[in-house]
Amino acid sequence: MALDILMPALSPTMTEGKLSKWLVKEGDQVSSGTILAEIETDKATMELECVDEGRIGRLLIEEGTEGVPVKQAIATLLGEGESAPSTKAPASKPASPAKPAKAAAPAKAALQAPTVATSPTGETQYSTWKTQTVRQALRDAMAEEMRRDPNVFLMGEEVATYQGAYKISQGLLEEFGENRVVDTPITEHGFAGLGVGAAFGGLVPIVEFMTFNFAMQAIDHIINSAAKTLYMSGGQMGCPIVFRGPNGAAARVAAQHSQCYASWYAHVPGLKVVAPWSAADAKGLLKSAIRDPNPVIFLEHEILYGQSFPVPDTTDFLLPIGQAKVERPGKDVTIVAFSIMVGKALEAAEKLAEEGIDAEVINLRSIRPLDTATIITSIEKTNRCVTCEEGWAFSGIGSEIAAIIMEQAFDHLDAPVTRVAGKDVPMPYAANLEALAMPQVADIIEAAKTVCYR
Amino acid sequence: MTTKKAVSPKGPAQGSNTAPTVDELIKFYKDMLLIRRFEERAGQLYGMGLIGGFCHLYIGQEAVVVGLQACANPGDTVVTSYRDHGHMLACGMDPKGVMAELTGRAAGYSKGKGGSMHMFSREKGFFGGHGIVAAQVPIGTGLAFAHKYKNDGGLSMAYMGDGAFNQGQVYESLNMASLWQLPVLYVVENNKYGMGTSVERSSASTDLASRGDAYNVKTMAVDGMDVMAVREAGIEAVEHIRAGKGPVLMEAKTYRYRGHSMSDPAKYRTKEELQKMRTEHDPIDHLRQTLIAMKALDDEGFKALDRDIKDLVMAAAEFAQAAPEPDPSELWTDIVVAA
């Protein structure tokens, strides 16, 4: 019986990939361990190994094809005595899913950034835009700032030779050399403290954590050394440093690798905390973070890395830290979100519109300082608020926003502020439980209806 | 790579081209005496309630920082732990500003917002004053990273106690500093007790310097009660580092006369042990005897010098008591730098 060889998922977040090269041809005898093909994921080029024994029947996907979805059949494997024509595969060579590959990026952008036309704060003056992934935007931001200021350098695990665990620093080693793109040992506490010392010494370090989960090893230096020393030194010891990396839940990586740290860092005076959603957010905010004379916690999201958005096509594009953006104006309810939850809030808003509820969606962009003015102005208009975050509700960002609204806009509220957040459990591994633990679009819709008494 | 060396000459090495001049020796004596008198006065002000919180005195350990800072160049950087008053004075910071910080006054180095454990002077190359045990070690390593990155010829000195030397981040730092050949001198001031726990009770191996061997770091051990020995070791260490041969780990065996902090009655050691150190190994007495033997100073000379130091410390104490507290508006300053 002929077997289908499927496009594999080669990382927890991979949904599609490029079949860059076939290393076997039709009719080849293969066995367990034979390298069949090279597959390029969003993070790396990987080899696909054969698991079974047999003969290659048909290659269903042409090499060089981009956007091949995970689980798509890419070849057939024949058993003993079977012949190629007997397979059920389509006779024509280019498989149908291969065609939309080139269109994939723009299509995604349309889905994820439906509101570019609504002249966002700080971006209106730019006439030329290009479509970029969040990943490319982050890399460009670092590269531009490293060209601009020779004291800016990047350090972290796998940032140089490996080109970044998530390929964020791709090409930087080549351009800037090993003095400015520094691979560290796996030693978060040590290199975070080293970064702080380098910042005290006049440099501008960008410290990449492979994920913010690992930054817990380093949190003493982030808080006690980076955030507090300016105050404790009577203003002498500024610490211009960016701590960046993916934050929040990726996919199926369980409790130790799926946590939002926004409220942890936002709690601390002396830190700035930024959480971009779109590629424009990522580019403009990271450039501002690198130029900022203070320690900045830059919370990225692994799921967003591969998503595409329009970005102003200039090296002068900076977004001010501390300013939120109204992504979608509305009059009935305010949905406040940051990072990946902005996309979910916009999706919820579209569905709410179908039911006659006009939601305003605020993308916080910056958690500390928090743009309370934009939130309060919105509440004065809508009189209702739903907050969204991946992290836990207890002592979360939503709790802080609720308190601020109560203090500053109590009389404008027609309903209690409602928090949509991660469930109060460590993140489970099982797919169904994980989905239950994460805040979903349906949760936002339900919360919005509740505060609208619908 | 690892050349462990116990350096303890009985006096200035005769004929050595690194031997200190008489003037240098007198300066060491003054610097150590300043630290001693300053700390005694700080202890007194603490007792009077004028200094609050934690206050960790350096009395007994003076030879370590004075001997090593004698090897530093302008532009070099220094970090240490919370037992930091001696390091600040040895870096040339003004005793008035240090004492005023201890009393929490606006004229203090941190405007009264840091206190005993948190003072800094960019001008003097002193980068703190850090309150978390061993946190200064990666910070000092980062300062060394900056020296190398900027190629400014400077080096970083990172001081720590024997207590800090069991923290993981020390080894993370040694590893990176050796890997990247950073210009950093790690100094373990082994005063035998991490708070109340002796080195024997806290460290599986009491040969602290030898731990550098695991990281391919040059190691040295020195009698930290002998300022001339410390200085000579310091010269060797600094030469190694400035030649681009990577970091040095130096263990200075020393002793603190006072408790860990002001509230420590130091019952974990015997009075005899303390007495023996004070009478037989006091770094200031030791140098005084050397200076007398060299006929560098007569009785009158010592008296005049003692008087100068006493006046300096008295003036600092008076300044620190007379200086106003920070303005209430200072509560809200220095939290972030305006971008």
Side-chain angles (χ1 to χ4, degrees):
Chain A
M1 161 111 198
L3 290 172
D4 283 340
I5 297 171
L6 307 179
M7 182 72 172
L10 297 169
S11 81
T13 52
M14 176 177 168
T15 53
E16 57 174 43
K18 175 181 176 184
L19 204 167
S20 11
K21 195 174 181 189
W22 278 113
L23 299 170
V24 291
K25 55 185 189 303
E26 292 178 358
D28 280 1
Q29 196 66 32
V30 295
S31 61
S32 165
T34 305
I35 311 295
L36 301 175
E38 279 180 7
I39 290 175
E40 205 176 318
T41 72
D42 53 351
K43 292 177 195 161
T45 301
M46 313 269 283
E47 289 176 338
L48 172 61
E49 276 188 22
C50 191
V51 181
D52 301 294
E53 199 159 340
R55 199 157 43 84
I56 299 293
R58 283 188 176 278
L59 301 181
L60 304 172
I61 304 287
E62 245 179 314
E63 68 179 23
T65 306
E66 291 185 39
V68 182
V70 165
K71 289 194 210 166
Q72 166 84 28
I74 56 174
T76 56
L77 185 66
L78 305 173
E80 215 175 320
E82 286 181 311
S83 57
S86 70
T87 58
K88 58 183 190 291
S92 61
K93 242 188 166 184
S96 52
K99 279 175 190 158
K102 285 202 180 74
K108 223 182 215 174
L111 174 74
Q112 292 296 334
T115 55
V116 172
T118 62
S119 54
T121 353
E123 287 127 274
T124 40
Q125 67 268 42
Y126 298 101
S127 50
T128 329
W129 293 65
K130 63 181 168 189
T131 299
Q132 274 196 315
T133 61
V134 170
R135 171 179 287 112
Q136 291 164 333
L138 291 168
R139 185 203 50 208
D140 284 0
M142 288 194 286
E144 286 170 18
E145 294 308 300
M146 288 174 78
R147 280 173 211 133
R148 179 179 173 268
D149 180 355
N151 285 329
V152 178
F153 72 99
L154 171 66
M155 72 187 309
E157 294 155 7
E158 311 293 1
V159 299
T161 309
Y162 194 93
Q163 306 289 320
Y166 294 99
K167 270 193 181 170
I168 304 298
S169 53
Q170 195 161 32
L172 295 184
L173 173 65
E174 194 184 358
E175 179 174 355
F176 298 104
E178 60 182 18
N179 289 335
R180 298 185 66 194
V181 184
V182 184
D183 274 332
T184 66
I186 302 171
T187 187
E188 283 85 4
H189 195 188
F191 71 69
L194 192 152
V196 171
F200 289 159
L203 304 185
V204 182
I206 305 168
V207 174
E208 175 174 312
F209 292 116
M210 199 179 287
T211 99
F212 263 94
N213 298 283
F214 306 158
M216 283 224 274
Q217 300 253 17
I219 200 165
D220 174 63
H221 276 297
I222 297 173
I223 291 169
N224 274 316
S225 304
K228 294 180 183 171
T229 304
L230 181 72
Y231 195 83
M232 294 196 302
S233 64
Q236 280 187 76
M237 300 292 293
C239 187
I241 191 169
V242 177
F243 295 104
R244 51 155 289 271
N247 170 69
R252 306 292 309 282
V253 291
Q256 291 181 341
H257 291 74
S258 311
Q259 185 173 338
C260 175
Y261 288 91
S263 79
W264 287 54
Y265 293 110
H267 186 63
V268 183
L271 290 180
K272 293 188 178 182
V273 182
V274 171
W277 164 61
S278 69
D281 291 355
K283 174 100 186 269
L285 290 170
L286 184 53
K287 284 169 70 78
S288 294
I290 294 167
R291 292 187 196 185
D292 199 285
N294 299 286
V296 180
I297 306 293
F298 197 87
L299 302 171
E300 300 159 11
H301 203 293
E302 187 185 336
I303 302 287
L304 297 173
Y305 280 155
Q307 296 190 8
S308 298
F309 298 84
V311 179
D313 191 7
T314 162
T315 57
D316 297 328
F317 173 58
L318 280 93
L319 288 173
I321 293 175
Q323 264 185 34
K325 177 187 169 193
V326 177
E327 295 283 355
R328 182 193 195 281
K331 59 176 175 33
D332 295 332
V333 55
T334 301
I335 306 178
V336 183
F338 59 93
S339 186
I340 195 168
M341 293 306 292
V342 175
K344 292 191 180 181
L346 288 170
E347 215 178 304
E350 292 307 313
K351 294 201 171 132
L352 285 164
E354 290 166 15
E355 302 186 40
I357 296 175
D358 185 15
E360 177 148 306
V361 175
I362 296 176
N363 170 7
L364 285 178
R365 282 182 169 168
S366 162
I367 313 289
R368 178 189 266 266
L370 187 69
D371 184 358
T372 48
T374 295
I375 298 170
I376 298 299
T377 304
S378 181
I379 300 307
E380 286 170 357
K381 177 170 64 171
T382 66
N383 311 112
R384 295 167 168 87
C385 184
V386 172
T387 67
C388 307
E389 67 194 297
E390 266 197 334
W392 298 300
F394 194 98
S395 299
I397 302 304
S399 310
E400 181 62 27
I401 291 169
I404 288 169
I405 293 172
M406 194 175 71
E407 287 163 358
Q408 298 184 26
F410 187 72
D411 292 337
H412 291 278
L413 281 179
D414 285 346
V417 176
T418 298
R419 294 171 293 170
V420 172
K423 303 297 184 300
D424 202 21
V425 297
M427 186 64 75
Y429 168 70
N432 64 328
L433 297 182
E434 186 187 54
L436 285 171
M438 304 251 268
Q440 306 290 356
V441 172
D443 299 322
I444 304 171
I445 293 169
E446 191 190 331
K449 285 183 180 172
T450 303
V451 299
C452 293
Y453 302 112
R454 293 270 294 265
Chain B
M1 181 73 204
T2 55
T3 50
K4 206 178 306 154
K5 189 179 171 191
V7 191
S8 52
K10 294 294 168 223
Q14 295 300 317
S16 157
N17 57 8
T18 63
T21 65
V22 172
D23 284 352
E24 280 175 310
L25 288 176
I26 292 173
K27 183 177 186 312
F28 298 163
Y29 183 80
K30 280 170 71 172
D31 289 350
M32 289 198 292
L33 197 63
L34 172 63
I35 295 173
R36 175 80 47 104
R37 296 285 171 261
F38 182 95
E39 292 292 64
E40 287 166 352
R41 186 67 60 187
Q44 187 191 40
L45 296 189
Y46 192 93
M48 292 158 66
L50 289 160
I51 296 173
F54 293 123
C55 185
H56 309 87
L57 301 182
Y58 196 64
I59 298 174
Q61 301 181 212
E62 297 90 344
V64 180
V65 78
V66 170
L68 288 175
Q69 289 314 123
C71 310
N73 286 346
D76 290 346
T77 48
V78 176
V79 279
T80 187
S81 70
Y82 40 79
R83 195 177 305 287
D84 54 0
H85 312 158
H87 300 74
M88 294 186 265
L89 296 175
C91 284
M93 287 166 68
D94 180 0
K96 285 183 179 173
V98 179
M99 197 69 95
E101 188 61 36
L102 294 182
T103 54
R105 306 304 167 102
Y109 267 98
S110 299
K111 302 185 197 166
K113 300 202 279 192
S116 165
M117 301 185 286
H118 310 294
M119 276 180 255
F120 309 81
S121 169
R122 280 191 181 274
E123 184 201 345
K124 301 290 183 188
F126 184 75
F127 284 74
H130 296 273
I132 305 297
V133 178
Q136 76 275 14
V137 181
I139 290 171
T141 311
L143 288 165
F145 184 95
H147 285 304
K148 186 171 184 191
Y149 188 100
K150 293 188 284 191
N151 196 23
D152 62 9
L155 61 79
S156 153
M157 293 189 180
Y159 292 86
M160 73 201 88
D162 49 281
F165 205 54
N166 287 322
Q167 287 274 24
Q169 58 184 316
V170 172
Y171 305 96
E172 298 188 31
S173 300
L174 283 172
N175 185 45
M176 285 186 283
S178 181
L179 203 57
W180 300 333
Q181 296 287 287
L182 299 181
V184 53
L185 172 57
Y186 297 106
V187 185
V188 184
E189 301 193 53
N190 178 359
N191 64 21
K192 296 179 119 176
Y193 298 92
M195 201 167 160
T197 304
S198 68
V199 170
E200 289 74 17
R201 291 176 60 230
S202 66
S203 303
S205 161
T206 56
D207 180 3
L208 302 186
S210 72
R211 294 190 203 172
D213 294 347
Y215 299 94
N216 240 353
V217 167
K218 177 183 169 71
T219 62
M220 301 174 80
V222 63
D223 176 1
M225 302 303 274
D226 180 342
V227 69
M228 289 170 286
V230 173
R231 174 186 168 277
E232 190 165 316
I235 288 170
E236 185 185 332
V238 162
E239 270 176 11
H240 175 94
I241 295 164
R242 291 203 206 279
K245 295 177 184 170
V248 173
L249 172 63
M250 182 188 295
E251 176 186 0
K253 293 178 199 293
T254 183
Y255 202 80
R256 78 169 136 74
Y257 295 175
R258 296 293 184 94
H260 165 71
S261 64
M262 296 305 295
S263 53
D264 170 17
K267 287 190 172 157
Y268 41 82
R269 61 187 185 192
T270 63
K271 282 192 176 126
E272 291 71 30
E273 177 184 301
L274 172 61
Q275 203 49 42
K276 190 173 161 59
M277 290 304 291
R278 294 184 84 130
T279 51
E280 295 175 22
H281 297 283
D282 185 78
I284 297 175
D285 280 353
H286 176 72
L287 183 55
R288 189 183 175 103
Q289 294 314 316
T290 306
L291 288 169
I292 289 170
M294 292 168 71
K295 297 187 170 29
L297 278 176
D298 58 12
D299 244 23
E300 270 313 303
F302 278 115
K303 269 185 194 157
L305 203 148
D306 290 354
R307 210 180 309 117
D308 288 351
I309 297 292
K310 195 180 166 190
D311 290 349
L312 197 59
V313 170
M314 207 50 168
E318 278 165 11
F319 176 80
Q321 292 171 72
E325 290 189 312
D327 190 88
S329 65
E330 284 292 346
L331 180 66
W332 296 103
T333 64
D334 307 321
I335 299 161
V336 292
V337 181

